[in-house]
Amino acid sequence: MGIFSLGSSVMPIGLDIGTDHVRAAQLKPSGAGLSLVGYGLVNMPMGSVVEGEIVDVDAVSSAIRELWRHSSVHGKDVIIGVSNQKVVVRLIDLPFMERDELEGAIQYQAQDYIPIPVEDAILDFHIIGDYMTPADEHMMEVLLVAAQRDMIESAVQAVEGAGLRLAQIDLTSFAIVRAALGAGTAILPGEEEEAGEATGVIHISSGLTNIAVVERGVPRFTRVSSIAGGQFSQAIANVLNLTFDEAEELKIRAGLPDIETGTQPLGPEGDLGTQQLQVAQDALEREVNKFIAEVRRSLDYYLTQATQIRTIRKIYMTGSGAQLSNMAAYLEKGLQAEVVLTDGVSHVTVAPGAQQAAMADRMGAAPAVGLAMGGAT
Ligand SMILES: Nc1ncnc2c1ncn2[C@@H]1O[C@H](COP(=O)(O)OP(=O)(O)OP(=O)(O)O)[C@@H](O)[C@H]1O
Ligand SMILES: [Mg+2]
């Protein structure tokens, strides 16, 4: 028996199934907060997960089994996250009703708001609050989540195929918000956000970028985009005729050109390596500009819907793909907001047994850690 005894795990393990990696995070209550007692990641075979959807259930099950063998998590109960084009999240206004009444009614109410036939969807909702209209009608604001049933079923099969039990399914974007801002964060106006302001959270991984807007700690808007780290690498591969793996390596080495000085012109001594680096930086810059335009469209859409909110002043950025050098500066300029690079473990303490694995992957840890945080509430 080791020095660090886990005892029985009361909280389910956060399991984040991604394009490049599958990750697991295990939390334990500790004092007033949460302690990360187990963490790990293993590679996902290429093509098994595409844009957040499991396409090869058996390959994913094997990867999860491998993760359980090679990480410090112990237990069988897991919470998984979903995030892809087959999940829609809508903020809707409904006449006020009690929670149990809404549970019965949501199926009939939902179809007007979602593009998926209700009979093919799994529905969930979060009541955000209620209010009175000027005409004295009692209304409520509800965040409606609808996920395509077949997509959820593949995820369930992958988990069960790995010999685990599915305790809960959550939205990956909610998990990311939790990990980036802290669980149950109720931001008071004037504290972090002034009146009329909201906060953005952007998570960049390989196949997907998650964009969320949070008001006073409550997520009110989420969207996924397929412009993410993989697409950045692919752009470099295309322009330099490299393999994807070569392009990945070059991307990480090159980063974005300095936003003030741009790509440095080649001196007379410019060799092939330097030339490649410059071409890579330029390709990356074009791709990142597309990325910024996409994020801006999402945020603008949100701002046109949210009548009380005029600006998104602060954006938390996380995810492995957010580690491109100079990325924050590009986003600050393109989105006219303060961009704060944040990791996935800033709101938990990291126990010695998880230290090495978690710290090496702290930029990529937000979904798994945030999923596990959701199991605490
Ligand atoms: N230092 C770095 N600089 C830039 N990009 C990086 C760096 N390190 C990793 N990345 C990129 O991060 C991406 C991998 O992120 P991650 O492992 O979180 O994806 P994933 O969770 O498996 O996929 P997804 O959630 O999108 O399905 C790759 O595109 C990789 O190139
Ligand atoms: Mg991921």
Side-chain angles (χ1 to χ4, degrees):
M1 180 141 161
I3 307 165
F4 208 83
S5 169
L6 268 176
S8 67
S9 87
V10 282
M11 288 173 60
I13 296 160
L15 177 62
D16 170 31
I17 301 167
T19 310
D20 291 3
H21 297 103
V22 52
R23 298 173 164 94
Q26 185 160 35
L27 294 171
K28 204 178 167 183
S30 136
L34 292 166
S35 176
L36 185 68
V37 294
Y39 191 83
L41 81 164
V42 297
N43 289 333
M44 182 63 78
M46 204 159 180
S48 310
V49 176
V50 177
E51 292 188 13
E53 275 190 65
I54 296 172
V55 293
D56 186 341
V57 171
D58 292 340
V60 172
S61 290
S62 308
I64 297 171
R65 281 182 191 276
E66 192 196 333
L67 175 60
W68 251 244
R69 279 196 298 274
H70 294 290
S71 74
S72 48
V73 299
H74 298 279
K76 286 196 177 301
D77 293 324
V78 297
I79 302 183
I80 59 165
V82 287
S83 170
N84 53 56
Q85 302 295 350
K86 290 188 176 169
V87 192
V88 293
V89 184
R90 296 279 184 273
L91 190 61
I92 63 175
D93 294 274
L94 294 174
F96 180 82
M97 60 188 103
E98 298 298 336
R99 167 176 293 278
D100 49 354
E101 198 184 338
L102 181 58
E103 261 162 33
I106 196 74
Q107 218 172 326
Y108 307 101
Q109 303 275 3
Q111 192 62 83
D112 292 347
Y113 303 97
I114 59 168
I116 311 169
V118 163
E119 55 276 18
D120 299 338
I122 292 175
L123 301 174
D124 191 14
F125 62 85
H126 301 262
I127 299 171
I128 290 185
D130 61 314
Y131 62 94
M132 301 302 291
T133 67
D136 237 25
E137 291 160 298
H138 195 183
M139 300 290 288
M140 69 199 296
E141 259 188 322
V142 175
L143 204 61
L144 173 67
V145 182
Q148 206 134 1
R149 196 177 290 275
D150 58 353
M151 179 270 294
I152 297 285
E153 275 162 9
S154 304
V156 174
Q157 281 168 15
V159 166
E160 290 178 347
L164 303 176
R165 279 189 298 263
L166 188 61
Q168 213 173 305
I169 300 177
D170 197 359
L171 276 183
T172 309
S173 45
F174 289 177
I176 292 163
V177 166
R178 235 178 260 133
L181 304 184
T185 324
I187 299 170
L188 300 172
E191 209 174 288
E192 269 272 295
E193 294 164 357
E194 303 278 341
E197 286 178 359
T199 304
V201 179
I202 298 176
H203 181 272
I204 310 168
S205 42
S206 172
L208 291 172
T209 292
N210 269 277
I211 303 161
V213 181
V214 175
E215 282 175 44
R216 299 190 203 177
V218 181
R220 297 177 64 99
F221 169 88
T222 73
R223 181 163 290 178
V224 294
S225 162
S226 55
I227 309 185
Q231 188 165 325
F232 298 160
S233 302
Q234 192 58 54
I236 293 177
N238 292 350
V239 71
L240 284 167
N241 215 353
L242 301 175
T243 65
F244 186 78
D245 288 345
E246 289 167 342
E248 283 264 310
E249 192 265 326
L250 183 57
K251 172 183 80 173
I252 292 169
R253 205 150 47 82
L256 284 157
D258 189 289
I259 199 160
E260 301 300 338
T261 53
T263 307
Q264 294 303 300
L266 264 189
E269 73 286 2
D271 55 35
L272 198 63
T274 329
Q275 207 171 332
Q276 262 205 345
L277 217 57
Q278 291 186 351
V279 176
Q281 282 195 338
D282 290 342
L284 211 45
E285 188 175 14
R286 282 193 295 277
E287 227 46 39
V288 166
N289 284 334
K290 279 188 221 164
F291 171 82
I292 289 170
E294 175 114 332
V295 174
R296 197 168 44 214
R297 269 195 299 278
S298 284
L299 300 184
D300 285 348
Y301 172 80
Y302 167 78
L303 288 170
T304 61
Q305 304 284 302
T307 48
Q308 313 283 326
I309 301 296
R310 293 178 303 278
T311 51
I312 293 167
R313 185 171 51 97
K314 196 169 183 178
I315 295 172
Y316 290 86
M317 179 172 71
T318 182
S320 298
Q323 297 174 103
L324 272 186
S325 55
N326 295 321
M327 185 71 168
Y330 276 76
L331 245 69
E332 289 210 324
K333 190 168 180 212
L335 300 173
Q336 294 292 298
E338 179 192 353
V339 175
V340 183
L341 203 61
T342 188
D343 67 41
V345 293
S346 49
H347 293 278
V348 295
T349 56
V350 182
Q355 191 78 29
Q356 210 182 352
M359 294 321 274
D361 185 42
R362 59 189 183 278
M363 290 307 292
V369 171
L371 286 167
M373 284 167 102
T377 52

